[in-house]
Amino acid sequence: MNKPILYGSGYSVYVRSARLVLIEKEIEYELVPIDIFAKDRLPSNYVDHHPFGRIPAFDDAGFRLYETGAITRYIDEAFPSNPLQPTTAQERARVNQVISIADSYIYPHLVWGFYVEQVSNPQQGKATAEGKMAEARIAAPICLKALSDLMNGKPWLGGTNLTLADLHVAPMIDYFLMSDEAHRLFETFPDLASWWSRMSQRASMKMTKPSS
Ligand SMILES: N[C@@H](CCC(=O)N[C@@H](CS)C(=O)NCC(=O)O)C(=O)O
């Protein structure tokens, strides 16, 4: 059987989410390197895989897919090993809600706000965009409180078991926590800190840790 193919780079939070799902489900896959920020070196046919020019893109025996949420749900449903979605409609809705919160608010404010503005840009000698940071400082506690409220005392973001929600959010939190200010804020949410200590210890997280 052909291995599914994932196109992307190890630095990408979204590529990492898809890899985490493949690894947690013990599915062998091929990672085809695509550095999306080196636009001049992209394969000319990459647009056929992802018309919006993002990573990841996915190909399962000719079935092509882009958008991480769609990719990870497809993988979980097409491959029966180690299910990563709950069975009831309400529990699945919570998982999908967390994934949507991650895409709409966590990625722009915790990754592009805290990580890019406070960690990555200064490393590259670029100035911090204070306007963007001001927005991120307002959004971050709202994002973290929403996650904490949705956990509602359970060990994982989607309830009692590890789900796609944890694997979608964790790569974003890993970058977020590289900012000292973010780290201090995160520690004020003990249930999230305890979730992170479990999540970050998983073999899948260690295997996909982006090289700095
Ligand atoms: N909505 C897309 C977002 C993917 C995305 O934004 N990927 C980033 C890397 S983490 C990217 O390709 N950025 C390239 C760019 O912005 O030009 C998904 O869910 O897959």
Side-chain angles (χ1 to χ4, degrees), residues 17-34:
S17 294
R19 293 175 72 200
L20 288 172
V21 170
L22 288 158
I23 294 168
E24 290 286 349
K25 290 182 70 69
E26 300 175 58
I27 298 166
E28 283 189 42
Y29 68 99
E30 184 186 349
L31 182 65
V32 172
I34 295 288

Side-chain angles (χ1 to χ4, degrees), residues 95-162:
V95 168
N96 291 332
Q97 185 180 17
V98 171
I99 290 173
S100 190
I101 290 169
D103 290 341
S104 303
Y105 315 112
I106 296 179
Y107 184 61
H109 295 300
L110 275 59
V111 178
W112 281 94
F114 277 85
Y115 169 70
V116 173
E117 293 301 335
Q118 289 197 334
V119 181
S120 171
N121 279 352
Q123 277 169 358
Q124 296 172 43
K126 294 184 195 160
T128 300
E130 288 303 335
K132 214 186 242 186
M133 266 321 299
E135 283 178 27
R137 283 192 179 102
I138 294 169
I142 299 174
C143 290
L144 298 180
K145 183 174 183 313
L147 292 181
S148 171
D149 288 349
L150 288 168
M151 270 177 92
N152 196 19
K154 305 262 173 54
W156 300 101
L157 298 182
T160 32
N161 297 310
L162 179 85

Side-chain angles (χ1 to χ4, degrees), residues 171-186:
M172 300 183 189
I173 297 296
D174 208 0
Y175 275 129
F176 174 62
L177 290 176
M178 290 172 73
S179 145
D180 292 338
E181 181 183 338
H183 207 275
R184 284 193 296 277
L185 175 65
F186 195 74

